[in-house]
Each structure stands twice: as structure tokens, then as C-alpha cells.
Amino acid sequence: MIEARSLTKTFRDKKRGEIRAVDGVSFRVEPGQIYGLLGANGAGKTTTLRLLATLLQPTAGTATVAGFDIVAAPEKVRARVGFLATSTALYGRLTAREMIAYFGRLNGLAEAEIKVRLQRLADELDLHEFLDRRCEKLSTGMKQKTSIARTLIHDPAVMIFDEPTLGLDVMAARAIVRFVRDCKGRGKTVIYSTHMMSEVEKLCDTIGIIHGGRLLAEGTLGELRARTGEHDMEEVFVKVACPEEPA
Amino acid sequence: MSWRSIVTVYGKELRDSLRDRRTLLSMIIIPVVVMPTLVFSLGRIGSRAYARAREEVPVVMLLGGVDSPMTTAALQQSSRFRVVPESADYRQLISDKKIRAAVRIPAGFDAGLRGGTAGPVVILHYQGELKSGFAVGEIDAFFRELREKTVTAALAAHGLPASLVAPFAVRRENVAPPEKVGGNAIGGFVPYLIIMLCFSGAVYPAIDLTAGEKERGTLETLLCSPVARVDIVLGKFFMVLTSSLCAMGLSLVSMALTLTVAGVATGSVGRGVQAVAAQAGGGALPLISPLGVAGVLAMVLPVAVLFSALLMMIALFAKSTKEAQTYLMPLAFVVLLPVAIGLLPGVELNTRLALVPILNLSLVCKEILSGVWHWNYIALIFGSTCAYAGIALALTVRMFNREEVLFRT
């Protein structure tokens, strides 16, 4: 489960002064649920997810992830989280097998356990063909699959996806979407950030619209449509994020 | 802190680095092949150029001396140099290296020799020019012999023994063991080499493991793992240290082997080394006490830690490898300066200098290699360098915990 409580993150910029990248964001995601964080570029999605993954520390507020506080026990949180983003790359000089096993070791798994889990992931994600190929030689789709296996090797209870389909072709993006659904099916708590309306419509149980660091609206797709009186997700988003914008 | 995590990170970095051509180049190829080849080739080229310059009979211009036929004839007959007739542009000719020196014989020199009133002989040369220097040496030797002959003749004319001007001889006898002579002769060069190799061996991995990872996006992946940041930074640090020590160790072994093999094969490895070897009473390789080498290596260890931590800290701040290279370039000069000061003659170890990092190592290594073990200074230098290394490492760990550094875009 994820529970964010007034999560706030400010940065200092020499030119622009204090920037509130995330401003008092609160939400709750239950196991077996996909929470979609929808926002334009620079809305605060990545910062929110980095806070939940304990890559950044909140300036104010906090969150509980899989039963642990992100400020008090960041290492325990990370041990229960799988974080996948376009910015989380693979080590080019390691093979896919070495990459996945490395993260197994970092997560404190024993060698025998890593072997078993790697075999299972290779079967599930169809990695066998390129498991012993260096990551730098893999295609984008193969890299994505390896990244997914990397996030799953320690079987985390919570999955955080930060725009995972960005820059991918249709087939690779579909594979990701399928995988996210699969995570939900396995009872994992999933948070998924994107600026693509179609993905939100397809995947998410609850949608949070974030803009200027603030969570402006939250609800199911039906609730948001009802509140804005719009059917098209893009129109829903525009009405919430920029109400002054002409339709 | 978990040693299991540190070893895991280190193991991965080692495997990754050994697959990287650039790391292999800086850690193994350059120290094992390039450095010894460079040093050996430079030595060979230098010794050959020196030998060729020595073999050349210098061309010397004779100025004046028309009224001193005896001296001018002796000069012209000398096999030490080749005398050419006087020309008005002798200064230009020396500058243009057409002639190596000129010698001006004062008016009435022969008559003055007989009467003991000869004026001074002037040697005109080009200071700093090797061949001109050789010419001056030969002219000097000629006139020294002439002076001795004149004095001996004068003494004989008065029925006095030649030994009157040299009533006793002075002889030098070396009491220093060969390894200490060797240590003194190359004591300044060895720490210089070691320090520079330690530094250069750490530069590339320090950049690749920090700024390089940021640039490639793998640092964020690594930070997602539950491993504490202190363990990540220590795992990476040990890899940089390994590279630094590897570069130094391999280079020293390779250079020693090259010199030994070359010495055995050719019987000489250049005049510089030959001279040292002759001084030291050894073969082609100057003798250095193994204890001295072990002492130097022990003293170098905290400096390698200092370099590795410092380089990582600076490179970590950079957004890209290019930016890191820009930051680290001036650091090479900062390191080079104290090492160069340590090589200067007359700069000796004292309590104040013992606290100056790098310079203290350069000076103490010189002493250790020449067999002088000032234990109080050694303890002070080792302790202070360990403290500096510890501070640098602590700062690097602190830097690794700063979000604005890790996610600097």
C-alpha cells in the first residue's frame, strides 16, 4: 500500500529562487490497484515518484510505502519497491543475466534464490534468447524486458512506473502495459505516471491529475468525467489543470 | 554499513571496468606498455643524442694570438677541437651553432707566460647549449694543461720539484652502500613517478563510475536498490583505488623488468642509468634497497586513497564525463606542483613541510630510498595523509548523499 500525506518537495534555483516541485500531495493506493498520476511535463510527477522511491527526501510531509515510512526507513522502502522509469538505464557492459542477478544481490538475495527467480522471470518475460547478451547490444524492447526483470527480481510489493513507455514503439509499449496489468493481477500496489491520456484510460483504477506540483483532482475515470462534464480524457485533463483554457 | 553490499558493488564495478577498453587502457595498457616504452625510449634517445654530441669534435674559433705563435700552434694541433680562422661575426656564428665556442688570446700572451704576466684568456660560448658546453670543457682542459706545463717548466728552471705546487693529493672514498647511492641518485624520480601513476590510474574510473553513470542513467537505477548510499560509494571507491594501485604497481614492475631485460640484452640502458649504476656499483639497474621500496609503497597507500576519494568527489559533482574532465584537468597541476617542489635541490623535510600533502610524500620517499628513516617524520606524514584521505572519503560519502549533486541536471 502507498499513502502519501502532504508530500512536499522544494528545490532552490539560483535564477528562479525556491521551486515547489511537489506541493502538499496526498493520495492512497491499495494493493491490487493501479493509481495513475497524470500530468504535463514538469507537473511534478517524477519528483513525486522519486520521493516515494526514496531517491529524494521530502521537504515536508511524508508517505508510507508497504508499511514503512519513506523518511524513517528509506532502505526498507526500497527493498519493497520496484522502480521503473525511462531514466533508469541498464549497465551496457553487463549481460542481461548479470544485470538482473546484480540487483538480486543488491536486494540481499542468496545466489540459489537469484538463480531460481531469474529462471522464472526469463520464462515469464521470454528473456532466454538474449539473457547472455550484453545490455548495450540489446534492442529497445529487449532492454525494457530486462529492466522489468530487474525491478521484479526481489518480488516487490509496490511497483512505481515513471512514464515507462516514453520513446518506445507500439509493440514495446504494449508489452509494458501488459506487464503493468499483470502486476495488478498479482496483487501489487501500482503507481503509474504518464502524460498519455490513452494509457490512463486503459490502465488506471484511480487517476490523480497533478499540475504545478499540486494534486488538483482525484477519482476514477467515471468520477472525473462526471465532475468535469467531459467525456474525452484530454478534455477532462485540460478542464482540471487549466480551467481558464478555452475548450 | 554492510560489507556484503560493498563487496557486491565492488565486484560489479570490477567486472564492468575490466570490460571497458578505456579503463583497461588507463589501468593496464598505459602502465604496462606505454609508460615503460616512453621512459625507455626517452632514455635511449637522450643517451644517443648525448653520445653523438660527445663524439663530435667541436669547432672553435681563435681570436687574436697573432703575437703568440706557440700557443696558437698548440691550439691548432690539439685533437680536442678543430680551430677555424678568425671572423668578425663570431658571436653570430656561435648563436647559429656554426661554431661551438671562440677563444680570445690576449696580446703578448706567449711573452706573458714566460714572464708570469699573461693576461686572461676569454672563452666565448652559448650558455645552456650542450655542444657549446663540451667545447668550453675541452678549451678549459687545454689551458689547464698549458698552465701546469708552464708552472712545471718554471719550477724546473729554478731547480724546484714539480710537487711544490701540489704537495699532497686528495682522494675520495665512498662509504655509502650501493643501494643508498642508487636511492640518492633516483630517489627524487621514483616518488614523482609513483605519485603521478597513482593519480593517472584513478582519473578515468573516478569519472566513469560517477559522472559517467549519471550521464548513462545507471546511477538512478543503482540508487533504487535498498543498498545504503555509503555502501555504494565505498564499493565504487575501492574500484577507483584498485585502478590507482594497479596502474602504479604494474607500471613499476613493468619498468623494472624493461630496464633489467634491456640492461642484460644491451649491456647498457643509457648513460643516465649507466652512470647511476656505476655510482651504485651495480649492473644496469640502480640498486635500491627492497626495504626502501616497501617503505615507499606503504607511504603511497594513503595518498592513493586521498587521490581516489578526491577525484570521485569532484567527478561526482559533474553532470557528464566531459564536465568531469574539465574539473579534473586543473587538479593534475595541483598534484604536479608539490611533487615538482619535492624534486628541487635544497628542499628538505621539516615539521611544517611534513604536513603538506603530496610534497611530504615526495620528500620522505626521497629520504627512505636513500636509506634515511626519520621515524618521527614518517609517522607524522603517514598519520596526516591518512587523516586527509579520511576527510576526503568522508566528504565524498557526504557528497553522495546530496540530492542536488546526484540529480544535478
Side-chain angles (χ1 to χ4, degrees), chain A residues 11-239:
Chain A
F11 296 109
R12 287 212 65 79
D13 185 86
K14 274 182 195 159
K15 287 176 191 161
R16 294 186 289 166
E18 191 182 85
I19 301 161
R20 292 180 86 79
V22 177
D23 192 1
V25 168
S26 300
F27 59 86
R28 191 183 167 94
V29 192
E30 299 291 341
Q33 196 187 26
I34 301 175
Y35 186 96
L37 207 52
L38 184 66
N41 291 336
K45 301 187 298 292
T46 297
T47 307
T48 305
L49 298 189
R50 280 179 175 172
L51 287 170
L52 294 175
T54 76
L55 298 180
L56 297 176
Q57 277 221 320
T59 314
T62 190
T64 307
V65 176
F68 293 97
D69 188 274
I70 59 166
V71 180
E75 280 146 30
K76 285 183 176 157
V77 168
R78 285 201 296 274
R80 285 152 183 86
V81 163
F83 184 77
L84 185 69
T86 39
S87 53
T88 50
L90 301 171
Y91 287 105
R93 294 186 290 263
L94 294 190
T95 64
R97 185 192 298 278
E98 288 166 346
M99 179 77 199
I100 300 162
Y102 178 46
F103 275 79
R105 278 180 215 114
L106 291 177
N107 278 284
L109 300 181
E111 290 302 318
E113 206 179 346
I114 291 172
K115 213 174 166 185
V116 172
R117 289 192 186 197
L118 216 153
Q119 184 63 39
R120 202 177 57 219
L121 285 168
D123 291 339
E124 283 172 14
L125 296 163
D126 197 18
L127 308 177
H128 291 288
E129 185 201 336
F130 56 87
L131 211 46
D132 292 308
R133 219 181 286 168
R134 284 195 191 183
C135 293
E136 63 196 355
K137 307 273 183 201
L138 302 181
S139 68
T140 313
M142 290 170 179
K143 279 181 186 165
Q144 265 309 344
K145 282 185 178 180
T146 309
S147 285
I148 291 170
R150 189 267 301 165
T151 58
L152 286 178
I153 187 74
H154 57 299
D155 193 22
V158 174
M159 289 298 299
I160 300 175
F161 296 94
D162 184 17
E163 307 208 57
T165 57
L166 197 74
L168 295 185
D169 61 40
V170 180
M171 296 313 287
R174 277 171 71 91
I176 295 279
V177 168
R178 210 168 36 239
F179 166 65
V180 175
R181 274 208 198 100
D182 191 41
C183 285
K184 178 188 169 173
R186 292 186 203 184
K188 293 187 190 297
T189 308
V190 180
I191 182 161
Y192 188 97
S193 97
T194 184
H195 65 269
M196 291 161 81
M197 312 296 158
S198 58
E199 280 184 0
V200 166
E201 281 180 299
K202 266 191 279 184
L203 274 174
C204 304
D205 301 306
T206 309
I207 300 159
I209 296 178
I210 190 167
H211 190 74
R214 297 176 62 211
L215 194 68
L216 299 179
E218 191 187 54
T220 62
L221 187 58
E223 284 167 352
L224 289 174
R225 279 175 178 158
R227 193 190 306 177
T228 54
E230 296 286 350
H231 183 78
D232 182 61
M233 193 56 217
E234 195 174 303
E235 294 306 322
V236 172
F237 175 76
V238 170
K239 241 183 181 163

Side-chain angles (χ1 to χ4, degrees), chain B residues 226-239:
Chain B
V227 172
R229 287 184 184 171
V230 64
D231 297 344
I232 295 177
V233 77
L234 286 177
K236 285 177 176 290
F237 159 77
F238 282 123
M239 178 58 227

Side-chain angles (χ1 to χ4, degrees), chain A residues 9 50 57 78 89 98, chain B residues 15 19 220-221 225 403:
Chain A
K9 181 69 183 177
R50 280 179 175 172
Q57 277 221 320
R78 285 201 296 274
E98 288 166 346
Chain B
R15 183 191 295 235
R19 287 179 185 170
E220 193 170 333
T221 316
S225 73
E403 293 168 357

Side-chain angles (χ1 to χ4, degrees), chain B residues 51 69 81-82 94 120 151-152 181 215 247 264 295 323 326 360 376 388:
Chain B
F81 34 73
R82 186 161 63 83
I94 294 171
V151 170
T152 310
V181 178
E215 198 173 36
V264 170
E323 192 182 326
T326 313
N360 57 10
N376 49 343
Y388 299 140

